Amino acid sequence: MLRFPDDGLPTLKAARAFVGGVSTPSKMPGLSWNISAKRCKLGSVLREQIENSVCASCYALKGRYRFHNVITAQERRLAAFDNAASTGNMHKWAKAMAMLASSRASKGYFRFFDSGDLQSFAMLHAIIMVAKYAPNVKFWLPTREYSIIQEALEFGLISTRDFPNNLVIRISTRHSPCIQRQARREAPCSHFARTVRLPRSDRRPACGPFRP
């Protein structure tokens, strides 16, 4: 297990406290870090304004996700991230996450956002750091925040070379399957129905939502 005593993170307990804790989704083999789906930027727009979008009936706003203790934990995680970002402690946050991801409980796998989504480029960059600190862990980041990644690439804040091989980012479709099929017929090269794996260029589709 990784340890970073120089950063005040000698134990898993200290790391867990610093990041606000992690979750254990039943459908994943390892641990996860999530925030409230109500915090989704694009997802909130899709849920509230676009009928039949995939976010219109969000699973992360149902079931156990409605429990008070779950909501409290999600807000605690986001607050911990925001505090680390505002105090210049993003590397410490990333190292703490890497410690947790490398623990036995995670079983070599870690998912970001079984609930919620990317909030900013700073959060994307921090997640990339986590994956680099824990190269033996396989990370999965599903997101609908395509614009955050696209703008970071277009403005030179990051390049595809910065994505470690143990981090898979999947750009999720914005619409339900019936709308996807219609979109394919009307605009085969549109953003509607593509899933993209980063960073290996040989896996990029010829057309789709992510074309660095």
Side-chain angles (χ1 to χ4, degrees):
M1 185 193 74
L2 294 177
R3 291 187 185 278
F4 298 98
D6 293 340
D7 289 284
L9 298 168
T11 66
L12 284 174
K13 183 178 180 180
R16 193 177 296 110
F18 189 78
V19 302
V22 290
S23 63
T24 53
S26 60
K27 295 183 180 180
M28 294 294 294
L31 300 177
S32 177
W33 185 84
N34 64 29
I35 60 177
S36 172
K38 292 182 179 180
R39 297 285 187 173
C40 294
K41 297 181 180 295
L42 177 59
S44 294
V45 173
L46 294 174
R47 184 175 65 254
E48 297 169 6
Q49 301 181 20
I50 309 298
E51 186 178 1
N52 293 326
S53 72
V54 290
C55 295
S57 182
C58 180
Y59 74 87
L61 293 174
K62 302 176 181 178
R64 71 175 185 85
Y65 289 101
R66 296 181 298 176
F67 295 168
H68 176 73
N69 63 318
V70 174
I71 295 173
T72 299
Q74 291 173 335
E75 292 301 312
R76 183 175 64 243
R77 293 180 195 119
L78 182 57
F81 176 87
D82 289 341
N83 181 65
S86 64
T87 58
N89 282 310
M90 287 313 309
H91 281 280
K92 184 175 179 179
W93 184 92
K95 289 178 179 180
M97 290 297 301
M99 281 182 63
L100 295 168
S102 301
S103 67
R104 287 184 185 177
S106 204
K107 303 175 184 177
Y109 296 91
F110 196 94
R111 173 177 178 171
F112 287 96
F113 305 118
D114 59 289
S115 171
D117 207 336
L118 285 171
Q119 299 292 292
S120 61
F121 168 70
M123 186 172 283
L124 172 64
H125 186 250
I127 289 173
I128 291 173
M129 285 195 291
V130 174
K132 289 182 176 180
Y133 282 136
N136 295 324
V137 179
K138 295 180 179 179
F139 293 90
W140 181 35
L141 170 58
T143 180
R144 289 190 175 83
E145 296 297 341
Y146 153 63
S147 62
I148 291 176
I149 300 173
Q150 182 186 42
E151 290 174 6
L153 288 165
E154 288 181 350
F155 287 102
L157 299 175
I158 203 168
S159 74
T160 54
R161 293 187 298 274
D162 294 315
F163 292 91
N165 288 328
N166 62 324
L167 172 62
V168 172
I169 299 179
R170 293 200 180 278
I171 308 297
S172 303
T173 182
R174 302 180 182 184
H175 297 272
S176 63
C178 61
I179 295 180
Q180 292 174 30
R181 288 192 292 270
Q182 179 182 356
R184 285 196 189 98
R185 291 193 297 269
E186 295 178 356
C189 288
S190 72
H191 61 262
F192 285 98
R194 292 289 180 181
T195 299
V196 182
R197 184 195 190 286
L198 297 179
R200 291 175 56 184
S201 59
D202 58 332
R203 289 181 179 265
R204 291 190 209 127
C207 59
F210 182 75
R211 299 179 66 184

